[in-house]
Amino acid sequence: MDIFVVMTLAKATDYGMKQLTMYQTVTASPQSTRAALFDWMLKKAPEEMQGGNVLFYSAEPNALVAPAAVEAVSGS
């Protein structure tokens, strides 16, 4: 299943606050968890953002319509 993952981090620097929003679509196994995707995305942050605060996190199915709904509408 394709999952769309979004994470926003903030970290204080010598010059103020720095923010970063990362997003990626990933194919996750049925055994995957939101917590595992959270850890995976956090590790993908650049070194200068490591240790920053997570302001936003989302892991949602990438499909706009659930597969069962598509079947019901199409009559398949």
Side-chain angles (χ1 to χ4, degrees), residues 10 27 42:
T27 301
L42 199 54

Side-chain angles (χ1 to χ4, degrees), residues 33-71:
T33 64
R34 281 186 167 85
L37 291 172
F38 178 92
D39 292 339
W40 170 77
M41 189 63 121
L42 199 54
K43 289 176 185 171
K44 292 181 67 67
E47 186 175 333
E48 73 248 12
M49 294 303 290
Q50 293 294 320
N53 294 316
V54 177
L55 301 180
F56 178 80
Y57 171 73
S58 175
E60 303 287 335
N62 195 40
L64 294 177
V65 178
V70 171
E71 291 175 13

Side-chain angles (χ1 to χ4, degrees), residues 3-49:
I3 305 293
F4 185 65
V5 183
V6 181
M7 180 179 281
T8 299
L9 302 171
K11 189 171 183 182
T13 69
D14 293 338
Y15 308 104
M17 293 295 291
K18 186 170 190 174
Q19 285 191 2
L20 169 72
T21 298
M22 304 179 294
Y23 56 91
Q24 186 165 344
T25 302
V26 61
T27 301
S29 72
Q31 295 80 23
S32 295
T33 64
R34 281 186 167 85
L37 291 172
F38 178 92
D39 292 339
W40 170 77
M41 189 63 121
L42 199 54
K43 289 176 185 171
K44 292 181 67 67
E47 186 175 333
E48 73 248 12
M49 294 303 290

